[in-house]
C-alpha cells in the first residue's frame, strides 16, 4: 500500500474503494474551513440495491413498449415509409458527415475551457446581456409593446444580476477548470456519455414505432383520427419521458461518481480506469433504482404538461390550460434542478434518492447561493459553445446539396425548404446535440466538484494541491471568515 499523504499534519490513507471517499482517520480541514460534519457531509453507504421498485417499473415500461412495437408498430411503420416513396439517403449521409465534424469541433471545447475559463465566463455573461437587449429592441420594433415592456424588465434584471455576480467569476472559473481537468483525466466518461446517447436514440426509434402501432390499432381502427385519447396520450408520453430521464440522469450519476474517484483517489484515474468503470457499474446496478425514482417524478410532470398542451390545442387555447402548462413547467424545472444535485450524492456515496435529497437540502442551507451562481455562470458558457458548434455545422451543412452530393438527393423527402437549407437546419441540430453531450458531462463534473469541495477540502489539498490553492483563494476573497 502506498505511503499516506500528510495534510495539515494529519496522515490520510489512500486505499481504493469506489464509494470510499471519506478518510477513516480524522482530518484537519484547511484554513478557515469548518469540520466536515458541520457541512452535513455524506457518508459511504453499504453496498445494496437502492429503490429497486422503481428500477422494476422502468424494466416493465421498456418491455411494454418493445412488445407493442414488435406486435403492432413494425408493420404500421413500414407501411408508412414504403407508401411515401421518399428518399432519405442524402440526409443520412450528410448527418454522418456533420456528426463527425461536430465531434471534432466539440473536442476543441475542452482545452479551450481549460485555457481561458474566465474569459469564456465573462464573454458568455456579456453575451446573455446583449441577447436580452436585442430581444427587447426587436419586440419594440415589431410593434409588440407588451413584449417590449417585459423585455425591458428582464434586461434590467439581467443588468443587476451581472453586476452582482461579476465578482464571483474567479471562483466559477476555477470550478470549471477543475471539472475539465477531472473529465480530461477520465476521458472514458465522455465515450460512456455518447453510448448513453446512442441508447437514447434507439429508445426514441422504438417508441416511435410503438406510437405508429397504437395509432394504427387503436385510433384509426376505431375511427378516432380527429380526436385525442388522453389516457393513451399520457401513458405514451410518460413512458417516453421516463426512459429518457433515466438515460440522462444515468450520465449525470456516472460522471459524479467518476469525479469523486478522481477527487479522493486520483491514482485510479484514466481513460477506462477503475474510477470510470466502477461508476458505470454502480450507476446501472445498486444506484439504478434511485436514478429511476427521481426520473419518474419529472416524467410525470412532463407527461401531464404534454397532455395539457394537447388539450389546449384541441379546445382552442383556453387560458386555464396555459396557466396549467406554466405551473407544470415550473415544477418540472425545479425538480430537475433538485435532481441534478441529489444525483451527485447518489453517484458519490450510493445514497437512496430520498436520503440524497436530504443532503441536497443541507448543502444549500450552507452554500446554496454560491453553488447556484457558479452553476449558472458555467451553464452560460455551455450554451454559447453549443450554439457556436451548431452554427459552424449549419454553415457547412448549407454547402451540401444536389450539386455536391450528386444523385443522393433524387426524390428526397419534402421538408418545405431547399436541400441546402434543410441540411443547414440538420447541421445546426446535430452540432447542438453532440456538443451538448460533452458539455453536459462537464456540467455534471462542475456540480460534483462543488459538492466535493464542500465536503472534502482536505483530500483536495492532498491530491490536487494547485487546484485546491486556486479554489480556496478565490473563495476566501469574498468570505475570509467562512470555510469552504
Amino acid at each position: 500500500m502506498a505511503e499516506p499523504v500528510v495534510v495539515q499534519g494529519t496522515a490520510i490513507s489512500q486505499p481504493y474503494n469506489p464509494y470510499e471517499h471519506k478518510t477513516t482517520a480524522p482530518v484537519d480541514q484547511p484554513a478557515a474551513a469548518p469540520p466536515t460534519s458541520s457541512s452535513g457531509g455524506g457518508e459511504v453507504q453499504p453496498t445494496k440495491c437502492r429503490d429497486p421498485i422503481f428500477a422494476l417499473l422502468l424494466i416493465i415500461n421498456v418491455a411494454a413498449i418493445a412488445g407493442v412495437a414488435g406486435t403492432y408498430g413494425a408493420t404500421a411503420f413500414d407501411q408508412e415509409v414504403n407508401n411515401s416513396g421518399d428518399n432519405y439517403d442524402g440526409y443520412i449521409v450528410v448527418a454522418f458527415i456533420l456528426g463527425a465534424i461536430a465531434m471534432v469541433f466539440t473536442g476543441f471545447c475542452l482545452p479551450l475551457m481549460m485555457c481561458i475559463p474566465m474569459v469564456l465566463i465573462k464573454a458568455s455573461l456579456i453575451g446573455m446581456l446583449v441577447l436580452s437587449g436585442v430581444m427587447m429592441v426587436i419586440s419594440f420594433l415589431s410593434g409588440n409593446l407588451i413584449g417590449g415592456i417585459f423585455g425591458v424588465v428582464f434586461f434590467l434584471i439581467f443588468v443587476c444580476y451581472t453586476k452582482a455576480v461579476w465578482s464571483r467569476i474567479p471562483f466559477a472559473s476555477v470550478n470549471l477548470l477543475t471539472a475539465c481537468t477531472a473529465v480530461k483525466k477520465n476521458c472514458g466518461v465522455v465515450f460512456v456519455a455518447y453510448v448513453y446517447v446512442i441508447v437514447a436514440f434507439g429508445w426514441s426509434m422504438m417508441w416511435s414505432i410503438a406510437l405508429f402501432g397504437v395509432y394504427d390499432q387503436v385510433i384509426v381502427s376505431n375511427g378516432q383520427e380527429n380526436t385525442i385519447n388522453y389516457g393513451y396520450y399520457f401513458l405514451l408520453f410518460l413512458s417516453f419521458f421516463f426512459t429518457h430521464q433515466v438515460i440522462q440522469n444515468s450520465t449525470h450519476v456516472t460522471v459524479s461518481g467518476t469525479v469523486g474517484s478522481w477527487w479522493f483517489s486520483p491514482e485510479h484515474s484514466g481513460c477506462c480506469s477503475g474510477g470510470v468503470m466502477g461508476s458505470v457499474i454502480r450507476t446501472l446496478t445498486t444506484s439504478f433504482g434511485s436514478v429511476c425514482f427521481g426520473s419518474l417524478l419529472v416524467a410525470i410532470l412532463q407527461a401531464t404538461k404534454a397532455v395539457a398542451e394537447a388539450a389546449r390545442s384541441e379546445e382552442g387555447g383556453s387560458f386555464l390550460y396555459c396557466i396549467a402548462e406554466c405551473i407544470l413547467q415550473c415544477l418540472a424545472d425545479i425538480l430537475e434542478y433538485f435532481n441534478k444535485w441529489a444525483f451527485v450524492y447518489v453517484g458519490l456515496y450510493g445514497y437512496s434518492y430520498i436520503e440524497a435529497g436530504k443532503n441536497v437540502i443541507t448543502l444549500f442551507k450552507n452554500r446554496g447561493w454560491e453553488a447556484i451562481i457558479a452553476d449558472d455562470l458555467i451553464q452560460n458558457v455551455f450554451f454559447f459553445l453549443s450554439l457556436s458548434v451548431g452554427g459552424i455545422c449549419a454553415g457547412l451543412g448549407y454547402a451540401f446539396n444536389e450539386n455536391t452530393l450528386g444523385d443522393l438527393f433524387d426524390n428526397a423527402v419534402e421538408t418545405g425548404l431547399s436541400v441546402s437549407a434543410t441540411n443547414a437546419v440538420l447541421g445546426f441540430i446535430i452540432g447542438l446535440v453532440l456538443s451538448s453531450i460533452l458539455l453536459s458531462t462537464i456540467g455534471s463534473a462542475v456540480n460534483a466538484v462543488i459538492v466535493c469541495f464542500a465536503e472534502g477540502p482536505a483530500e483536495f489539498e492532498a491530491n490536487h494541491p494547485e487546484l485546491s490553492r486556486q479554489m480556496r483563494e478565490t473563495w476566501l476573497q469574498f468570505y475570509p471568515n467562512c470555510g469552504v
Side-chain angles (χ1 to χ4, degrees):
M1 183 178 296
E3 290 296 322
V5 179
V6 177
V7 181
Q8 300 290 323
T10 303
I12 301 177
S13 59
Q14 298 289 323
Y16 177 68
N17 181 315
Y19 278 136
E20 195 63 53
H21 301 319
K22 295 294 181 183
T23 59
T24 55
V27 179
D28 292 337
Q29 303 292 343
T36 303
S37 58
S38 69
S39 302
E43 297 180 355
V44 178
Q45 301 300 295
T47 301
K48 69 175 184 178
C49 292
R50 310 282 172 180
D51 305 312
I53 185 65
F54 297 97
L56 181 61
L57 288 176
L58 178 75
I59 293 171
I60 293 172
N61 166 51
V62 173
I65 292 296
V68 172
T71 305
Y72 303 111
T75 302
F77 185 79
D78 289 341
Q79 288 176 351
E80 182 69 20
V81 173
N82 292 334
N83 291 339
S84 68
D86 292 325
N87 175 22
Y88 295 87
D89 293 347
Y91 294 122
I92 293 174
V93 171
V94 170
F96 276 104
I97 294 173
L98 294 176
I101 293 173
M103 292 182 70
V104 171
F105 279 101
T106 302
F108 290 128
C109 292
L110 184 60
L112 184 65
M113 286 186 289
M114 294 182 69
C115 291
I116 51 172
M118 188 177 298
V119 172
L120 290 175
I121 292 176
K122 289 181 178 179
S124 64
L125 193 59
I126 294 173
M128 292 297 293
L129 186 62
V130 171
L131 188 61
S132 65
V134 169
M135 295 302 294
M136 174 189 67
V137 173
I138 290 176
S139 295
F140 280 120
L141 292 178
S142 62
N144 186 352
L145 182 60
I146 296 177
I149 293 173
F150 276 106
V152 171
V153 172
F154 283 111
F155 177 75
L156 293 176
I157 291 174
F158 211 95
V159 169
C160 294
Y161 173 76
T162 301
K163 182 179 179 181
V165 304
W166 193 264
S167 60
R168 269 73 168 181
I169 289 178
F171 181 69
S173 301
V174 182
N175 268 278
L176 179 58
L177 175 62
T178 304
C180 291
T181 303
V183 171
K184 181 181 178 182
K185 294 293 184 180
N186 298 273
C187 57
V189 76
V190 177
F191 296 104
V192 172
Y194 279 113
V195 170
Y196 281 129
V197 172
I198 293 172
V199 173
F201 177 77
W203 164 251
S204 297
M205 291 299 298
M206 186 171 71
W207 183 87
S208 299
I209 293 172
L211 180 63
F212 272 100
V214 171
Y215 182 82
D216 187 60
Q217 292 295 318
V218 178
I219 307 299
V220 175
S221 298
N222 296 329
Q224 301 175 353
E225 292 92 337
N226 297 321
T227 62
I228 295 179
N229 188 312
Y230 293 108
Y232 286 113
Y233 199 84
F234 176 78
L235 291 175
L236 282 168
F237 274 92
L238 177 62
S239 172
F240 178 80
F241 290 128
F242 183 22
T243 305
H244 267 293
Q245 280 288 322
V246 168
I247 295 170
Q248 174 184 322
N249 293 327
S250 293
T251 305
H252 184 47
V253 172
T254 299
V255 174
S256 298
T258 302
V259 171
S261 295
W262 170 83
W263 188 281
F264 296 101
S265 302
E267 68 275 13
H268 296 284
S269 298
C271 180
C272 296
S273 62
V276 175
M277 300 312 299
S279 184
V280 172
I281 292 171
R282 295 193 305 275
T283 299
L284 299 179
T285 54
T286 55
S287 295
F288 194 60
S290 300
V291 174
C292 295
F293 189 176
S295 301
L296 179 60
L297 297 178
V298 175
I300 291 172
L301 292 173
Q302 291 177 326
T304 306
K305 177 176 175 288
V307 171
E309 288 177 349
R312 178 169 59 86
S313 300
E314 182 76 5
E315 300 180 18
S318 170
F319 181 68
L320 292 178
Y321 285 121
C322 292
I323 295 176
E325 286 177 46
C326 181
I327 293 173
L328 289 168
Q329 184 62 55
C330 290
L331 291 174
D333 290 343
I334 292 171
L335 187 54
E336 282 191 271
Y337 193 81
F338 176 85
N339 280 353
K340 180 164 65 173
W341 296 98
F343 287 137
V344 172
Y345 282 93
V346 171
L348 288 175
Y349 302 112
Y351 280 114
S352 66
Y353 179 72
I354 296 297
E355 289 299 319
K358 293 178 181 178
N359 278 272
V360 172
I361 294 173
T362 302
L363 172 71
F364 278 98
K365 282 181 179 178
N366 292 317
R367 297 173 181 80
W369 184 235
E370 288 303 321
I372 292 172
I373 288 175
D375 177 56
D376 185 59
L377 289 174
I378 293 170
Q379 291 300 322
N380 290 338
V381 175
F382 298 158
F383 174 72
F384 277 100
L385 287 177
S386 293
L387 283 183
S388 299
V389 174
I392 292 171
C393 291
L396 295 174
Y398 191 82
F400 294 109
N401 51 44
E402 301 93 329
N403 297 325
T404 55
L405 291 179
D407 299 334
L408 285 175
F409 287 104
D410 289 344
N411 299 319
V413 59
E414 293 291 337
T415 63
L417 299 172
S418 66
V419 170
S420 293
T422 301
N423 285 330
V425 173
L426 185 63
F428 181 78
I429 294 172
I430 290 173
L432 192 69
V433 170
L434 292 182
S435 61
S436 296
I437 295 168
L438 171 62
L439 298 177
S440 69
T441 63
I442 299 174
S444 298
V446 167
N447 298 138
V449 164
I450 292 172
V451 172
C452 289
F453 185 57
E455 302 205 343
E459 292 87 345
F460 192 35
E461 175 70 21
N463 298 322
H464 311 282
E466 179 58 28
L467 289 171
S468 175
R469 180 189 62 79
Q470 294 181 48
M471 192 171 288
R472 285 190 292 115
E473 285 180 355
T474 54
W475 174 268
L476 295 174
Q477 284 178 13
F478 311 106
Y479 300 98
N481 297 319
C482 179
V484 296

